[in-house]
Amino acid sequence: MKILKLFNFILANCLIMAIGHSTLQSCFQEQLRLKAQVRLLEYRVKQQQVKIVRLLQEKEIQYSDTGDENSVIDLGEKRQYADCAEIYNDGHKRSGFYKMKPLQSPSQFLAYCDMSEGGGWTVFQRRSDGSQKFDRVWADYEQGFGNFISTNGEYWLGNKNLHWLTNQGNYTLRIDLSDFEGERRIAQYKHFRVADEESSYQLSCGEYSGTAGDSLTGGFHPEVKWWADHRGMKFSTRDRDNDNYEGNCAEEDTAGWWFNRCHSSNLNGVYYKGPYTAKTDNGIVWYTWHGWWYSLKSVVMKVRPADFEPNVV
């Protein structure tokens, strides 16, 4: 370091002067003064290094946010679309957030359209990084919450919107799952539907297919359906207990979900990174793939009309 070399040079000259002129005491005083200056300079250098690192981090975040802003796609007000399938078949093949208005819905809302896997998928839930809190009350789950701008932002579309969406036809549910080891699985269900507010947004779905195993209807073993089948279950939150358990599953498992006694799937659970330990199995759980004590890395829940046929241009 240049400062240290300079300090050693001055110290050597000072010692030579001290031998020739008997000023050893003044030489030591000079030595102490120089040491203090070196410490001050080193402190200032460290301060500048910390500031540079912080500025670089802020710049990275800024670039990331700027890229995500483009995920909201405005098609104007020329036509109202009932779902992402209609948007896809009208020629809009880019994935992103679009406005839509299901047939009976009183108002429009934003939802992410996944135009991969054949296109036309309306995403109603996404977990990606733990940035959103999913331990929320009934009103939050009813209206929807989360990041409706970023491509990979976490959100819940809202039980009201999910009801309007799935009650305008026969919809297929597809769930894309991934773990922290880079593996991916899917679970798909026919005849997916969410009932209205009076029915507490009761869940119904049909036949399973896929590679993740059937954790939504307890199809992995006939003797577990009494506690593991989520079909026919009303939605529960910590302030609205609608499960079949003597306690409150939503409160214990810190999530809103269609709990039974309590679950073999809970995709709104706490975002742990893989294997975890807790008082209850409250992670992002899909039992038939990783059991209760492994929390998944990412989840996308999305729907599309069962009779969807993409227009070929």
Side-chain angles (χ1 to χ4, degrees), residues 212-279:
D214 181 9
S215 288
L216 194 60
T217 74
F220 54 95
H221 197 285
E223 294 183 5
V224 304
K225 284 186 175 290
W226 67 276
W227 62 265
D229 192 349
H230 296 267
R231 289 176 300 182
M233 295 310 305
K234 297 177 180 180
F235 202 84
S236 286
T237 56
R238 52 185 161 89
D239 62 332
R240 191 78 65 91
D241 184 6
N242 291 316
D243 59 49
N244 289 330
Y245 176 55
E246 57 270 19
N248 185 332
C249 293
E251 185 175 35
E252 290 188 11
D253 293 327
T254 57
W257 192 248
W258 297 278
F259 290 108
N260 190 336
R261 295 181 183 91
C262 281
H263 68 83
S264 58
S265 67
N266 175 18
L267 300 181
N268 288 337
V270 178
Y271 193 92
Y272 300 107
K273 294 185 177 180
Y276 68 97
T277 55
K279 290 182 179 180

Side-chain angles (χ1 to χ4, degrees), residues 184-229:
R184 298 178 182 275
R185 297 285 189 276
I186 64 167
Q188 194 159 295
Y189 294 88
K190 295 180 178 179
H191 308 297
F192 177 74
R193 179 178 178 270
V194 173
D196 60 13
E197 182 182 2
E198 290 184 1
S199 302
S200 298
Y201 304 109
Q202 187 178 38
L203 171 71
S204 61
C205 63
E207 182 183 352
Y208 158 82
S209 63
T211 58
D214 181 9
S215 288
L216 194 60
T217 74
F220 54 95
H221 197 285
E223 294 183 5
V224 304
K225 284 186 175 290
W226 67 276
W227 62 265
D229 192 349

Side-chain angles (χ1 to χ4, degrees), residues 82-103:
D83 58 16
C84 293
E86 285 192 357
I87 292 172
Y88 184 89
N89 274 341
D90 202 32
H92 308 289
K93 313 299 190 196
R94 177 183 163 194
S95 294
F97 283 96
Y98 293 83
K99 281 184 180 180
M100 61 194 66
K101 185 180 181 297
L103 299 178

Side-chain angles (χ1 to χ4, degrees), residues 88-142:
Y88 184 89
N89 274 341
D90 202 32
H92 308 289
K93 313 299 190 196
R94 177 183 163 194
S95 294
F97 283 96
Y98 293 83
K99 281 184 180 180
M100 61 194 66
K101 185 180 181 297
L103 299 178
Q104 301 299 320
S105 176
S107 59
Q108 295 185 95
F109 55 81
L110 275 176
Y112 189 85
C113 293
D114 183 354
M115 301 310 191
S116 65
E117 307 296 340
W121 294 100
T122 304
V123 175
F124 68 87
Q125 187 256 32
R126 184 191 290 116
R127 308 300 302 279
S128 58
D129 56 12
S131 58
Q132 295 292 324
K133 179 183 177 183
F134 275 70
D135 179 18
R136 293 176 179 258
V137 296
W138 181 266
D140 291 339
Y141 271 101
E142 187 170 54

Side-chain angles (χ1 to χ4, degrees), residues 7 10 16 20 33 96 135 180 244 261 263-264 273 283 287 300:
F7 169 73
I10 295 173
I16 293 171
R33 186 183 68 81
D135 179 18
F180 285 90
N244 289 330
R261 295 181 183 91
H263 68 83
S264 58
K273 294 185 177 180
Y287 174 77
V300 174

Side-chain angles (χ1 to χ4, degrees), residues 36-104:
Q37 287 184 343
V38 168
R39 290 195 190 96
L40 180 61
L41 287 170
E42 288 177 341
Y43 173 73
R44 288 176 177 173
V45 168
K46 287 181 180 178
Q47 279 187 318
Q48 291 298 318
Q49 288 174 336
V50 170
K51 185 176 181 181
I52 290 170
V53 170
R54 187 174 65 250
L55 288 171
L56 288 173
Q57 290 174 340
E58 290 175 354
K59 202 68 175 177
E60 287 179 1
I61 294 172
Q62 180 181 346
Y63 284 142
S64 175
D65 290 344
T66 301
D68 284 342
E69 287 175 0
N70 295 326
S71 61
V72 178
I73 301 169
D74 185 4
L75 299 181
E77 303 295 334
K78 294 181 179 179
R79 177 183 170 184
Q80 288 185 338
Y81 297 95
D83 58 16
C84 293
E86 285 192 357
I87 292 172
Y88 184 89
N89 274 341
D90 202 32
H92 308 289
K93 313 299 190 196
R94 177 183 163 194
S95 294
F97 283 96
Y98 293 83
K99 281 184 180 180
M100 61 194 66
K101 185 180 181 297
L103 299 178
Q104 301 299 320

